Structure formats: C-alpha cells, structure tokens
Amino acid sequence: MQKLDTLVETASQTAGPYVHIGLMPTYAGNAGYYDEEIGVSPIEEGCEGEIIEITGSVYDGTGWAMRDALIESWQPDAKGVFPGQDGADPKVSGHCRFAADAETGEFTLRTVKPGKVKGRGGVVGAPHISLWVVARGINIGLQTRIYFEDEDNSSDPLLARIEQRPRVETLIAKKTGEGKYRFDIRLQGEGETVFLDI
Amino acid sequence: MKDKGPLIPRNRDAHPVAYDPGYKTSVARSPNLPLLSMESSPSEETGPTFGHGKLGALDNNLILNWTKGAAPAVGERILMHGRVLDENARPVPNTLLEIWQANAGGRYRHKKDTYLAPLDPNFGGCGRTLTDENGYYQFLTIRPGAYPWPNRGNDWRPMHIHISVYGHSFGQRLITQMYFEGDPLIDHCPIAATIKNRAQLDALVAPLDLAHSRPLDYLAYKFDIVLRGRRQSMFENKLEGM
C-alpha cells in the first residue's frame, strides 16, 4: 500500500500554571522583558465602530472563578472585515490576550463590536468574537465564541447547529449597560459553555 | 480573495484527552459535554500576523535576553531549532513562536513559583521568534531542570520547554511542550501521559542533534512542529447558501 504524504498535527499539551511568563510577561511580574508585548489590545484609539467592554470569569467544575486562565480573542472590525483582508480598518488588530485579575477572578476585554461576517457560500454569521482558553488542567485549548444578546442571532450557522437550544444561551453575552456586556465561561457542569471543534 | 479551503478537521485522537484523573487539575477543568464540530469559517481561517517590528534582537536568545546581553545565564547551553510545517508538509513561514521555561534548577521566574531552587539572576525564561521563509526557527537557551509539582505525592515534570505557535489562522493555534531525548521522567509524567497515542508523545521528544551543535559552545536539539493544514479541492459541489 502507498503511504499518505500528509503529516499528523503536533499533540497539544497544557499551557501549565506559568503560561503568563511566556505570553504576558508583565502580568507574570516580569515587566519590561520585551520592548513590546503581543496582543495587549485588539484596537487602537480612533478605530471605527462602537467600543465595548466585556467582563466575565472562567469557572471550573466546582464553580470557582479560575485565577490562572489565559484567554485570547480574535475578531473582525466593525464592518466584519478581518485584519489582513482588503478594506480592513487599520486601527483594528483583532487580537487580544487577557487574564483574570488575581484578586477578583474577573477579566475585561475592551474592544470594538464586530460586524457580521460573510463566509463560504454566501453564509452570513451574526457578530461574534472567537475565544481560545488555555490554563493549567486544560490539555488542549478550548475554543468558543461570544455573541451579543442585542444582535439578531437567529440565522447564525453555528448557533443553528446547537441541538439543545438552552445551550445557545451559554454563547451569548448579556448587556449590563451602555456598551457593557457580561460573558462567563463555565468549563464543566451546570450551564457548561459550548466549546467548539472547528 | 482566493478561497484557500477550510481547515482540515482536527484529529482529536492525535491529542491528549481532556479528562485524565492522573493529571488532577484536569478533573474539574475538562468539559463533560461533547465539542460542537463544524467546518471552519473566516473566524478560524484568518488570524493575527506579526512583523519583525515588534521583536528585539535578543528575543530568541534566552541565555542573554534577561540581562539585555550583560551576563549569560547558568546551565547547559543549547540550541533549540526546527521547522514548522502544516499537515500537507508545507513550511509555515513568518509565524510567531513563543517559548517559556524554568531555569537550570527547575525554577520559573513567575511570582507564583515558590520552589526552593533559586532563581538565576541572569535568566528570565522566555523567548520569541518568527519562522523564516522555509518555516525554520531557532532559539538559544539553557536546558531547563526537572521540577516537582503538587499532583500525586511525588510527581516531577520532565525537563521541558513550553511552546506557543500561531500558524496563519486562529484555528491553527497550538500550545505544546518539548521534551528531551532520554529523559527517564517522561514515562512517569501524568501530563505527558494525557496523550494516549505513544507515537504522538514520542513526536514531542526532541533528539540530540550533534550535527547542529557548535563545538566548544552549545549542544543542539531538533524540534519540528506540525500545524493543521487546509483542504484544497478542485471541486465545488455545494450550491450557494447550502
């Protein structure tokens, strides 16, 4: 039999308890390690669109707000154009790294509200932000998405794939004020967030 | 823009299991419910890019970068090098690699690490670089020491370097760990053992690479990384909107 000429993806391993040393040196207590850190903010001042703040926690299966998770976000600009694509807002990098506060266990993502994204076959997705969560105890990074309760999510192709309709709510940020949202991530148990394999 | 095709679905059998009681922290941090699988979309097929502008000259030299070149770190001087490829065996050029690690004694420069082994005043423990046009990268560093961790009564991590890779899309995002050839602790490590496919664990073990060692200076270890590829097709059979 012939051999396939494809390779197998490198196996993931947990990011461990000290992930912040490598990815967020200032947070780890090593300010000034690099001249410029990666993913400090997904936007620059003056970008087009509505500036929003999303606050939340990452809870483990016991209901404890984890202090050591690191989250990355990725999103398009206010028009739904991703950085690098034609016509993208040059003041939107779209990428952010953030961590929970060591005291409160809460994170805040300050960004621009993303626009609808056009996908393959003309499918239009509701506005969303992609998240990737790593931490000690998580063997392979968990992917999920933030949608918004004040947007029309009715025809989003991903949300439509969730068979148990009450679980859709786990991906929808709740509005708590003008430009403010709450989005909690529950790794396990009651209200478990929908995680993705995409 | 030409459609480069969806990402090849992840072969989850090639990865560790989420729930593994041998690694205690995974017990309360693993989802109970199945992941939602679907074909990738622009959210996964695009991703951040990083230029050389953000990187400093010593960013991939952990022997010197903590002291900005003033004094070298203590320990076994090594070159860690290799290539980043995708599943289609194509090089992944200009992608960001970041590493972090303990010092030669197994101690991390992190405010939460209280292991009694001392910090090295000349070692910070993190580095970053971009792959070149052939997907090649290199770091100069100190071989990290093994260290104990609070899991079962007497668990010790093998020597390892943590690695974070972007690839060219957010769906390729990967964090893993590189182990060292011949380290007897690998076979006792509950974190390594979360990978149930032995060939996949072996692929995380970097061989000694004497050919790339520099005489009278450093030893080399080779570590290649494979990221997800994209599925290309000449055929488009789906109707618009399906």
mmCIF file of all heavy atoms in Angstrom, chain B residues 130-150:
data_model
loop_
_atom_site.group_PDB
_atom_site.id
_atom_site.type_symbol
_atom_site.label_atom_id
_atom_site.label_comp_id
_atom_site.label_asym_id
_atom_site.label_seq_id
_atom_site.Cartn_x
_atom_site.Cartn_y
_atom_site.Cartn_z
ATOM 1 N N LEU B 130 10.222 34.630 14.801
ATOM 2 C CA LEU B 130 9.394 34.325 13.636
ATOM 3 C C LEU B 130 10.106 33.259 12.815
ATOM 4 O O LEU B 130 11.338 33.292 12.690
ATOM 5 C CB LEU B 130 9.193 35.571 12.766
ATOM 6 C CG LEU B 130 8.379 36.711 13.366
ATOM 7 C CD1 LEU B 130 8.515 37.964 12.489
ATOM 8 C CD2 LEU B 130 6.911 36.317 13.485
ATOM 9 N N THR B 131 9.346 32.320 12.241
ATOM 10 C CA THR B 131 9.971 31.376 11.320
ATOM 11 C C THR B 131 10.405 32.120 10.059
ATOM 12 O O THR B 131 9.816 33.141 9.693
ATOM 13 C CB THR B 131 9.007 30.235 10.931
ATOM 14 O OG1 THR B 131 7.817 30.809 10.372
ATOM 15 C CG2 THR B 131 8.645 29.385 12.127
ATOM 16 N N ASP B 132 11.437 31.593 9.397
ATOM 17 C CA ASP B 132 11.883 32.230 8.152
ATOM 18 C C ASP B 132 11.023 31.732 6.981
ATOM 19 O O ASP B 132 10.016 31.048 7.175
ATOM 20 C CB ASP B 132 13.390 32.021 7.943
ATOM 21 C CG ASP B 132 13.751 30.585 7.581
ATOM 22 O OD1 ASP B 132 12.832 29.755 7.301
ATOM 23 O OD2 ASP B 132 14.954 30.269 7.566
ATOM 24 N N GLU B 133 11.444 32.039 5.750
ATOM 25 C CA GLU B 133 10.616 31.697 4.589
ATOM 26 C C GLU B 133 10.492 30.183 4.387
ATOM 27 O O GLU B 133 9.619 29.719 3.670
ATOM 28 C CB GLU B 133 11.155 32.387 3.321
ATOM 29 C CG GLU B 133 12.529 31.943 2.858
ATOM 30 C CD GLU B 133 13.682 32.628 3.592
ATOM 31 O OE1 GLU B 133 13.436 33.260 4.652
ATOM 32 O OE2 GLU B 133 14.825 32.523 3.121
ATOM 33 N N ASN B 134 11.374 29.400 5.044
ATOM 34 C CA ASN B 134 11.281 27.936 4.954
ATOM 35 C C ASN B 134 10.618 27.320 6.189
ATOM 36 O O ASN B 134 10.646 26.098 6.366
ATOM 37 C CB ASN B 134 12.682 27.331 4.794
ATOM 38 C CG ASN B 134 13.369 27.832 3.538
ATOM 39 O OD1 ASN B 134 12.781 27.799 2.450
ATOM 40 N ND2 ASN B 134 14.591 28.317 3.669
ATOM 41 N N GLY B 135 10.074 28.154 7.045
ATOM 42 C CA GLY B 135 9.440 27.647 8.257
ATOM 43 C C GLY B 135 10.427 27.312 9.358
ATOM 44 O O GLY B 135 10.076 26.682 10.355
ATOM 45 N N TYR B 136 11.682 27.736 9.205
ATOM 46 C CA TYR B 136 12.741 27.379 10.155
ATOM 47 C C TYR B 136 12.834 28.398 11.305
ATOM 48 O O TYR B 136 12.614 29.593 11.104
ATOM 49 C CB TYR B 136 14.077 27.307 9.410
ATOM 50 C CG TYR B 136 15.244 26.921 10.276
ATOM 51 C CD1 TYR B 136 15.423 25.607 10.684
ATOM 52 C CD2 TYR B 136 16.172 27.878 10.691
ATOM 53 C CE1 TYR B 136 16.494 25.249 11.488
ATOM 54 C CE2 TYR B 136 17.246 27.533 11.495
ATOM 55 C CZ TYR B 136 17.400 26.209 11.894
ATOM 56 O OH TYR B 136 18.448 25.871 12.696
ATOM 57 N N TYR B 137 13.139 27.897 12.484
ATOM 58 C CA TYR B 137 13.302 28.784 13.641
ATOM 59 C C TYR B 137 14.467 28.302 14.491
ATOM 60 O O TYR B 137 14.886 27.136 14.400
ATOM 61 C CB TYR B 137 12.030 28.792 14.505
ATOM 62 C CG TYR B 137 11.869 27.523 15.320
ATOM 63 C CD1 TYR B 137 12.386 27.416 16.607
ATOM 64 C CD2 TYR B 137 11.237 26.411 14.779
ATOM 65 C CE1 TYR B 137 12.269 26.250 17.343
ATOM 66 C CE2 TYR B 137 11.119 25.238 15.510
ATOM 67 C CZ TYR B 137 11.643 25.166 16.785
ATOM 68 O OH TYR B 137 11.536 24.002 17.507
ATOM 69 N N GLN B 138 14.986 29.153 15.340
ATOM 70 C CA GLN B 138 15.963 28.723 16.343
ATOM 71 C C GLN B 138 15.937 29.615 17.580
ATOM 72 O O GLN B 138 15.642 30.812 17.499
ATOM 73 C CB GLN B 138 17.371 28.631 15.766
ATOM 74 C CG GLN B 138 17.838 29.832 15.001
ATOM 75 C CD GLN B 138 19.207 29.582 14.347
ATOM 76 O OE1 GLN B 138 19.732 28.473 14.330
ATOM 77 N NE2 GLN B 138 19.788 30.634 13.819
ATOM 78 N N PHE B 139 16.208 28.955 18.710
ATOM 79 C CA PHE B 139 16.364 29.640 19.995
ATOM 80 C C PHE B 139 17.668 29.175 20.626
ATOM 81 O O PHE B 139 18.010 27.993 20.522
ATOM 82 C CB PHE B 139 15.241 29.272 20.974
ATOM 83 C CG PHE B 139 13.883 29.800 20.622
ATOM 84 C CD1 PHE B 139 12.954 28.986 19.990
ATOM 85 C CD2 PHE B 139 13.530 31.109 20.929
ATOM 86 C CE1 PHE B 139 11.692 29.459 19.669
ATOM 87 C CE2 PHE B 139 12.282 31.596 20.614
ATOM 88 C CZ PHE B 139 11.353 30.772 19.985
ATOM 89 N N LEU B 140 18.354 30.076 21.285
ATOM 90 C CA LEU B 140 19.483 29.702 22.117
ATOM 91 C C LEU B 140 19.010 29.816 23.561
ATOM 92 O O LEU B 140 18.434 30.844 23.945
ATOM 93 C CB LEU B 140 20.648 30.673 21.852
ATOM 94 C CG LEU B 140 22.066 30.128 21.990
ATOM 95 C CD1 LEU B 140 22.279 28.872 21.155
ATOM 96 C CD2 LEU B 140 23.064 31.207 21.591
ATOM 97 N N THR B 141 19.214 28.744 24.340
ATOM 98 C CA THR B 141 18.703 28.792 25.715
ATOM 99 C C THR B 141 19.539 27.883 26.625
ATOM 100 O O THR B 141 20.593 27.388 26.247
ATOM 101 C CB THR B 141 17.205 28.440 25.754
ATOM 102 O OG1 THR B 141 16.697 28.679 27.061
ATOM 103 C CG2 THR B 141 16.933 27.006 25.342
ATOM 104 N N ILE B 142 19.033 27.708 27.835
ATOM 105 C CA ILE B 142 19.625 26.832 28.847
ATOM 106 C C ILE B 142 18.692 25.636 28.991
ATOM 107 O O ILE B 142 17.477 25.799 28.993
ATOM 108 C CB ILE B 142 19.690 27.584 30.201
ATOM 109 C CG1 ILE B 142 20.671 28.751 30.123
ATOM 110 C CG2 ILE B 142 20.032 26.651 31.354
ATOM 111 C CD1 ILE B 142 22.102 28.365 29.873
ATOM 112 N N ARG B 143 19.273 24.440 29.085
ATOM 113 C CA ARG B 143 18.381 23.290 29.277
ATOM 114 C C ARG B 143 17.704 23.412 30.636
ATOM 115 O O ARG B 143 18.371 23.538 31.660
ATOM 116 C CB ARG B 143 19.159 21.990 29.160
ATOM 117 C CG ARG B 143 18.226 20.804 29.301
ATOM 118 C CD ARG B 143 18.599 19.670 28.406
ATOM 119 N NE ARG B 143 19.588 18.797 28.994
ATOM 120 C CZ ARG B 143 19.611 17.487 28.744
ATOM 121 N NH1 ARG B 143 18.721 16.935 27.942
ATOM 122 N NH2 ARG B 143 20.541 16.747 29.286
ATOM 123 N N PRO B 144 16.349 23.383 30.661
ATOM 124 C CA PRO B 144 15.628 23.543 31.932
ATOM 125 C C PRO B 144 15.770 22.308 32.813
ATOM 126 O O PRO B 144 15.887 21.193 32.307
ATOM 127 C CB PRO B 144 14.172 23.728 31.489
ATOM 128 C CG PRO B 144 14.094 23.051 30.162
ATOM 129 C CD PRO B 144 15.445 23.196 29.521
ATOM 130 N N GLY B 145 15.738 22.515 34.103
ATOM 131 C CA GLY B 145 15.760 21.400 35.028
ATOM 132 C C GLY B 145 14.378 20.804 35.241
ATOM 133 O O GLY B 145 13.371 21.449 34.983
ATOM 134 N N ALA B 146 14.347 19.544 35.714
ATOM 135 C CA ALA B 146 13.086 18.937 36.140
ATOM 136 C C ALA B 146 12.644 19.631 37.425
ATOM 137 O O ALA B 146 13.452 20.242 38.122
ATOM 138 C CB ALA B 146 13.282 17.447 36.388
ATOM 139 N N TYR B 147 11.345 19.570 37.725
ATOM 140 C CA TYR B 147 10.894 20.149 38.993
ATOM 141 C C TYR B 147 9.683 19.399 39.537
ATOM 142 O O TYR B 147 8.927 18.785 38.793
ATOM 143 C CB TYR B 147 10.590 21.640 38.846
ATOM 144 C CG TYR B 147 9.528 21.992 37.834
ATOM 145 C CD1 TYR B 147 8.183 21.953 38.170
ATOM 146 C CD2 TYR B 147 9.877 22.371 36.545
ATOM 147 C CE1 TYR B 147 7.215 22.276 37.239
ATOM 148 C CE2 TYR B 147 8.905 22.700 35.612
ATOM 149 C CZ TYR B 147 7.583 22.650 35.960
ATOM 150 O OH TYR B 147 6.630 22.962 35.039
ATOM 151 N N PRO B 148 9.510 19.456 40.871
ATOM 152 C CA PRO B 148 8.368 18.790 41.498
ATOM 153 C C PRO B 148 7.117 19.648 41.376
ATOM 154 O O PRO B 148 7.198 20.871 41.272
ATOM 155 C CB PRO B 148 8.797 18.689 42.966
ATOM 156 C CG PRO B 148 9.664 19.894 43.167
ATOM 157 C CD PRO B 148 10.377 20.129 41.866
ATOM 158 N N TRP B 149 5.960 18.998 41.386
ATOM 159 C CA TRP B 149 4.714 19.775 41.341
ATOM 160 C C TRP B 149 3.661 19.071 42.172
ATOM 161 O O TRP B 149 3.708 17.850 42.363
ATOM 162 C CB TRP B 149 4.257 20.012 39.912
ATOM 163 C CG TRP B 149 4.045 18.788 39.067
ATOM 164 C CD1 TRP B 149 4.969 17.852 38.731
ATOM 165 C CD2 TRP B 149 2.818 18.377 38.441
ATOM 166 N NE1 TRP B 149 4.410 16.887 37.931
ATOM 167 C CE2 TRP B 149 3.101 17.189 37.736
ATOM 168 C CE3 TRP B 149 1.534 18.910 38.393
ATOM 169 C CZ2 TRP B 149 2.118 16.502 36.997
ATOM 170 C CZ3 TRP B 149 0.565 18.227 37.655
ATOM 171 C CH2 TRP B 149 0.862 17.056 36.973
ATOM 172 N N PRO B 150 2.750 19.842 42.731
ATOM 173 C CA PRO B 150 1.752 19.257 43.624
ATOM 174 C C PRO B 150 0.652 18.548 42.848
ATOM 175 O O PRO B 150 -0.338 19.152 42.461
ATOM 176 C CB PRO B 150 1.205 20.476 44.383
ATOM 177 C CG PRO B 150 1.411 21.615 43.443
ATOM 178 C CD PRO B 150 2.604 21.305 42.610
#
